[in-house]
Amino acid sequence: MQYLETLNPQQLAAVKQTEGPVMVIAGAGSGKTRVLTYRIAYLIENGVDPFNILALTFTNKAAREMKSRIAEIIGNSEAKNLSMGTFHSVFSRILRHHSDKIGYPTNFTIYDTQDSRSLIKTIVKELKLDDKAYKPNLVHGRISSAKNNLISAAAYEANSDIVYEDRMSGKPRLFEIYKQYEKRCFNAGAMDFDDLLFKTNVLLRDHPDVLHFYQHRFKYILVDEYQDTNYSQYLIVKKLADVFNNICVVGDDAQSIYSFRGANIENILNFKNDYPENKVFKLEQNYRSTQTIVNAANSVIANNKDQIKKTVWTSNDTGNKIKVIRTLTDGEEGRIIAESIYETRINNQAENKDFAILYRTNAQSRSFEESLRKLNIPYKIYGGLSFYQRKEIKDLLAYFRLTANPKDEEALKRIINYPKRGIGKTTIDKLIVLADKFNVSIWDVIENPSEYPSGLNGGTLNKIGQFVTSIKSYQVLLEKNDAYDVAQHIAKNSGILKELYDDKSPEGVSRYENIQALLAGIKEFSESVEGDEIALLSDFMVDVALLTDADTDNDEDNDVVTLMTIHASKGLEFPYVFIVGLEENLFPSQMALNSRTELEEERRLFYVALTRAERKATLSFAMSRYRWGNLVTSEPSRFIEEIDSDHLEMAAASASKGRSLKQKSFENRAFGKPKKQPLFTNKNLKRVSAEDKVKSGKAASSLNLKVGNNVMHEKFGKGKVVGLEGDPAIKATVFFPKVGNKQLLLKFARLELID
DNA sequence: CTTGCAATGACTGAT
DNA sequence: TCATTGCAAG
């Protein structure tokens, strides 16, 4: 058990205390993942069957990585039997196993947020309610938090406090929407994200035999990021651990950032009451960051009232000061940071993957994308619209979904008229009303038109009939054929493939490519099945709804700069971290300014962001930024002021390398009201300085390009110059067969002439 | 029923 | 800014 020697005394103690309730309070960067990993390995080496271990992580990626780490220690065959994953993925599997007990088909669909909102929208319309008062995301948020607190639609209606609250906020009929939503999901054989936890609770509550089985199966339970569990999750864990009491939770109250998802910081604060014989271990030594970063983070979080007392410290070097950059606009913020990455990369022999740009909202990614692209710095954006949320992907998946579960209302609505087959809105509305009237699914209605007289004309009925026939023909294939073959067949036969192929616009081409990528993914899945078993499409569909960008990460060409929200960065670390958009009303968000608790959560979010950095953190804010297309002025975030000033180095964006690369420093917090704005806007100076950084030999501006020249680009491949701007040319429009037209600044794009 | 254009409102965060 | 929605005309 050599690996144990790498642990410090507290870590070791936490690993060895295998029996009874254990809480590990793990400060940022204190080696919590290591403790969890080794604890599991240690359990197994001491004779615990991996089959009896349940480990719940925050992302599927974290689970995969931990599993492979454990496999290295104890061998793959053992590690395979571990139950490990997110709450949602682990319990969705268990729910499928027992779906009949709670009245769901085994192939139940998982509605993602889009599906949920679309269904709510439909319901609001049907109930003829004002869609301004009942905005889908608001209503969904309300329903979601009810579910996370295990309040069913019936309980919601019966709860006078809640109903009163809704009435006061001008939404007296919200309970009706919830009721209808619950019914419609059930009739569609669909669960939303919250249902995966809610129904697990129902299953364990109403079926003692099932509860008994899992209580005895999961003798050892581990929960990561316990501070971000909600009541529904809390109760599942509590029930399962009730027999053996071997529960180990790991978390850090200072990093609780998901209360909007119902996360309840009380869970970690109340652990001691829930399990009186608990043992608590505190991991306070930070191995990740410099002293400057650790101390700065501590000084920020000290402003919060609600917290468990602990002292995070490090024996690492002092390191660089945290740089604070002020820029005029969000566009300039993007440029300065991209340039800073470029320079740092060269000066410190760093790689792209050593850098992360973290922001509060997804919408901020834009300016960074543009400027990184101009400097030819490869990057990847996480979050936002993930692959599986793109329209074309969801369309094809909807065919698969409907084939596997024809009751799936959202899937049906999506594709009954896509590609166009002349079944319009009025027809669909009629079908929905009819289905609701008889309390069946839309599929039931269109499958048996004679039983449910719709009053539609013959032509329409005929078109619907054809649609039903084609879906039925797919169903025949589903359970007997290879996933890839079925997927390919559906893609072709449904007309989706042709529809996208015929669209030759750049977007159309990329949609077609996405569909091909999905099919390739299914092919890979079907080839990964061992032996002579057949990979089924329905198996592929099982967790598609639960996948995120991080899960689809491949290991190839991953030397890229990371762009993500701070929420998504939880648990990750990077040598160089840029925390951007530090402005009042953005970070902290304006929605959080109403209450202390909300503001404290924003502050914890900032704490999480800072503690992602290993070597150097850089903060930035813009004095004005585009929001919904118009320029809004902004003030620096209060969080900057909350950092002990000893750790900060103030700098304004400097345009000229010649004048002061180190950038003008301010003795104190002079930001906010500059007397005048010198230098910073001088674009000419800027251009010179930027040009210096690109190896001049490669600068394409010296190529003397002409329209019609064939050129080679590092990333986009071969292309043809179709337009030039400026004299001498500074900007070129180049057509690349792979990606379409691109506008390139010649001083950055390292084009090579090839004819 | 479909198409095309004008008007509109969205930006927290994510399994 | 951008994607979705509503409306008029074919």
Side-chain angles (χ1 to χ4, degrees):
Chain A
M1 297 194 204
Q2 247 177 344
Y3 58 93
L4 293 181
E5 286 165 20
T6 64
L7 298 174
N8 72 28
Q10 295 85 355
Q11 292 173 328
L12 188 65
V15 166
K16 287 194 160 177
Q17 181 63 47
T18 59
E19 307 303 302
V22 169
M23 175 159 74
V24 181
I25 300 294
S30 62
K32 138 184 99 92
T33 310
R34 235 141 144 257
V35 167
L36 268 175
T37 311
Y38 291 169
R39 191 181 157 91
I40 295 169
Y42 185 80
L43 279 170
I44 298 170
E45 288 197 329
N46 281 284
V48 175
D49 186 340
F51 190 75
N52 293 127
I53 298 174
L54 169 66
L56 297 163
T57 58
F58 200 70
T59 62
N60 286 309
K61 193 184 174 201
R64 259 200 320 274
E65 285 173 359
M66 211 184 285
K67 213 168 188 171
S68 75
R69 198 60 203 88
I70 293 168
E72 280 171 27
I73 301 174
I74 55 147
N76 198 26
S77 54
E78 291 271 294
K80 235 173 43 190
N81 290 328
L82 285 165
S83 293
M84 219 180 206
T86 61
F87 275 88
H88 291 86
S89 71
V90 167
F91 294 113
S92 76
R93 235 161 278 152
I94 289 180
L95 281 170
R96 280 191 204 279
H97 218 260
H98 305 280
S99 55
D100 54 317
K101 291 203 171 65
I102 49 170
Y104 276 82
T106 315
N107 277 341
F108 66 78
T109 304
I110 298 173
Y111 276 177
D112 65 15
T113 310
Q114 274 180 49
D115 297 321
S116 298
R117 298 215 170 133
S118 147
L119 177 54
I120 287 168
K121 228 167 156 181
T122 315
I123 293 170
V124 169
K125 218 181 281 170
E126 279 168 32
L127 294 176
K128 300 196 168 51
L129 296 170
D130 176 11
D131 58 358
K132 288 221 171 77
Y134 296 92
K135 288 194 181 134
N137 20 359
L138 249 155
V139 175
H140 182 235
R142 203 78 185 134
I143 293 175
S144 174
S145 67
K147 283 188 184 176
N148 286 329
N149 288 301
L150 301 181
I151 298 168
S152 67
Y156 192 99
E157 186 182 5
N159 185 318
S160 54
D161 288 348
I162 294 178
V163 173
Y164 180 76
E165 220 174 279
D166 281 344
R167 208 180 310 138
M168 286 298 103
S169 65
K171 300 173 201 34
R173 296 178 69 187
L174 213 148
F175 72 92
E176 285 178 65
I177 304 176
Y178 186 7
K179 268 172 105 169
Q180 187 67 6
Y181 176 77
E182 194 179 66
K183 179 177 126 192
R184 289 280 271 275
C185 285
F186 185 78
N187 284 347
M191 296 202 198
D192 65 15
F193 286 137
D194 305 313
D195 280 334
L196 295 175
L197 308 172
F198 187 100
K199 303 290 180 193
T200 301
N201 270 296
V202 171
L203 177 72
L204 298 180
R205 181 194 67 196
D206 296 346
H207 300 274
D209 53 322
V210 177
L211 176 64
H212 185 267
F213 175 80
Y214 287 107
Q215 279 176 332
H216 286 82
R217 165 158 178 195
F218 298 132
K219 290 182 179 142
Y220 292 86
I221 299 176
L222 301 93
V223 187
D224 193 9
E225 309 282 9
Y226 194 64
Q227 77 281 357
D228 280 326
T229 51
N230 59 38
Y231 179 66
S232 186
Q233 293 168 319
Y234 157 84
L235 204 64
I236 293 172
V237 170
K238 188 153 196 322
K239 278 186 176 167
L240 290 178
D242 202 41
V243 171
F244 289 97
N245 255 302
N246 292 324
I247 172 170
C248 171
V249 304
V250 182
D252 178 6
D253 58 300
Q255 295 185 62
S256 163
I257 55 174
Y258 275 98
S259 70
F260 73 91
R261 215 164 79 186
N264 190 356
I265 198 167
E266 306 289 313
N267 288 344
I268 200 163
L269 302 174
N270 288 340
F271 186 82
K272 291 186 182 178
N273 306 331
D274 285 330
Y275 303 93
E277 319 84 90
N278 71 84
K279 295 233 163 48
V280 176
F281 301 91
K282 283 190 189 177
L283 309 182
E284 297 179 311
Q285 181 174 2
N286 174 304
Y287 294 95
R288 177 186 296 153
S289 316
T290 62
Q291 269 181 39
T292 301
I293 291 164
V294 169
N295 293 338
N298 283 343
S299 68
V300 169
I301 204 71
N303 291 288
N304 274 6
K305 278 192 189 163
D306 298 328
Q307 49 181 323
I308 296 178
K309 233 185 154 170
K310 65 179 159 320
T311 322
V312 179
W313 61 279
T314 185
S315 61
N316 292 345
D317 291 345
T318 309
N320 291 312
K321 289 203 171 184
I322 295 172
K323 192 155 144 192
V324 185
I325 297 176
R326 178 191 68 185
T327 67
L328 281 179
T329 63
D330 49 345
E332 191 182 37
E333 184 184 40
R335 279 199 300 280
I336 301 286
I337 284 176
E339 283 169 12
S340 175
I341 289 176
Y342 196 100
E343 279 175 22
T344 313
R345 201 178 57 183
I346 290 170
N347 296 339
N348 300 295
Q349 278 112 46
E351 294 177 277
N352 293 316
K353 65 169 189 285
D354 296 336
F355 297 88
I357 299 174
L358 307 181
Y359 35 77
R360 179 63 179 81
T361 65
N362 280 308
Q364 287 165 259
S365 67
R366 191 99 163 249
S367 60
F368 300 100
E369 271 181 86
E370 280 171 14
S371 39
L372 288 170
R373 208 164 356 178
K374 279 184 189 159
L375 292 182
N376 273 328
I377 301 172
Y379 61 87
K380 174 161 183 190
I381 300 179
Y382 291 82
L385 245 206
S386 87
F387 182 74
Y388 290 100
Q389 289 169 348
R390 301 209 170 142
K391 182 188 177 305
E392 62 275 19
I393 300 298
K394 284 209 74 168
D395 288 337
L396 183 53
L397 288 177
Y399 273 94
F400 302 162
R401 273 165 58 173
L402 195 66
T403 305
N405 169 24
K407 287 148 66 113
D408 185 337
E409 177 178 335
E410 289 308 304
L412 187 139
K413 278 196 297 197
R414 231 189 144 87
I415 56 171
I416 190 166
N417 196 32
Y418 179 82
K420 297 243 151 28
R421 38 176 86 84
I423 304 172
K425 206 171 116 5
T426 6
T427 308
I428 296 169
D429 285 346
K430 275 185 197 162
L431 293 173
I432 293 177
V433 171
L434 200 62
D436 193 49
K437 190 172 140 201
F438 287 95
N439 203 15
V440 294
S441 68
I442 303 176
W443 176 260
D444 291 325
V445 172
I446 60 175
E447 195 190 15
N448 309 298
S450 51
E451 251 180 81
Y452 305 100
S454 57
L456 293 163
N457 67 48
T460 310
L461 281 176
N462 195 24
K463 288 173 196 157
I464 295 175
Q466 281 173 22
F467 176 70
V468 171
T469 312
S470 63
I471 296 294
K472 280 189 172 167
S473 75
Y474 306 151
Q475 285 170 350
V476 176
L477 302 172
L478 192 68
E479 295 303 326
K480 286 182 223 107
N481 293 276
D482 172 77
Y484 178 68
D485 295 341
V486 180
Q488 186 78 26
H489 174 81
I490 295 178
K492 273 201 192 122
N493 190 272
S494 64
I496 284 198
L497 220 45
K498 186 175 182 318
E499 175 100 0
L500 294 174
Y501 184 77
D502 290 344
D503 183 352
K504 292 298 182 195
S505 68
E507 300 84 32
V509 172
S510 108
R511 277 190 220 116
Y512 183 75
E513 283 170 358
N514 284 335
I515 290 288
Q516 292 299 350
L518 176 63
L519 290 172
I522 296 175
K523 182 161 199 178
E524 198 179 310
F525 165 79
S526 98
E527 282 165 0
S528 73
V529 172
E530 291 166 20
D532 35 56
E533 268 182 66
I534 291 182
L536 293 177
L537 188 57
S538 37
D539 293 334
F540 175 82
M541 295 300 292
V542 163
D543 354 87
V544 158
L546 301 173
L547 292 178
T548 64
D549 276 352
D551 296 318
T552 52
D553 239 2
N554 54 358
D555 289 337
E556 297 129 46
D557 58 44
N558 60 356
D559 184 28
V560 297
V561 173
T562 298
L563 274 71
M564 53 171 54
T565 62
I566 302 166
H567 281 94
S569 76
K570 182 150 100 154
L572 306 177
E573 56 189 17
F574 305 89
Y576 303 93
V577 169
F578 294 82
I579 307 168
V580 301
L582 272 161
E583 293 141 38
E584 286 291 302
N585 295 326
L586 179 60
F587 190 16
S589 154
Q590 58 195 23
M591 333 281 271
L593 299 178
N594 307 319
S595 70
R596 198 195 85 215
T597 51
E598 282 176 304
L599 185 64
E600 292 203 348
E601 176 147 321
E602 293 285 307
R603 191 174 284 117
R604 291 194 294 270
L605 194 57
F606 183 52
Y607 177 82
V608 168
L610 259 183
T611 52
R612 296 312 94 202
E614 294 169 12
R615 297 183 54 184
K616 178 152 193 197
T618 305
L619 315 179
S620 71
F621 65 92
M623 290 161 59
S624 60
R625 116 174 9 252
Y626 278 95
R627 273 181 132 174
W628 316 290
N630 38 20
L631 205 58
V632 179
T633 58
S634 36
E635 288 187 18
S637 167
R638 68 189 73 191
F639 296 149
I640 298 177
E641 306 219 352
E642 288 175 2
I643 298 179
D644 201 333
S645 63
D646 296 350
H647 304 127
L648 295 183
E649 171 196 355
M650 301 301 209
S654 160
S656 154
K657 230 183 167 174
R659 265 185 228 215
S660 77
L661 171 64
K662 230 192 139 253
Q663 301 182 328
K664 188 167 175 177
S665 214
F666 295 75
E667 44 273 61
N668 51 24
R669 306 169 196 285
F671 286 156
K673 293 136 202 129
K675 294 261 155 33
K676 54 177 181 170
Q677 289 147 13
L679 305 180
F680 306 143
T681 51
N682 193 325
K683 284 187 178 136
N684 289 325
L685 288 171
K686 186 149 192 63
R687 197 171 292 151
V688 172
S689 81
E691 219 163 57
D692 286 346
K693 281 177 223 145
V694 181
K695 292 229 173 75
S696 52
K698 279 205 166 182
S701 41
S702 60
L703 286 176
N704 235 330
L705 284 180
K706 293 193 187 71
V707 171
N709 283 157
N710 287 313
V711 292
M712 176 64 85
H713 184 275
E714 257 188 349
K715 194 168 151 207
F716 304 133
K718 270 188 204 168
K720 195 182 201 81
V721 179
V722 295
L724 289 167
E725 274 179 64
D727 187 22
I730 52 171
K731 194 167 156 190
T733 308
V734 183
F735 175 78
F736 296 99
K738 282 189 198 163
V739 289
N741 278 336
K742 289 276 167 196
Q743 304 244 322
L744 302 168
L745 283 177
L746 293 177
K747 61 176 185 258
F748 293 126
R750 291 184 233 169
L751 294 175
E752 274 175 277
L753 209 52
I754 51 174
D755 57 0

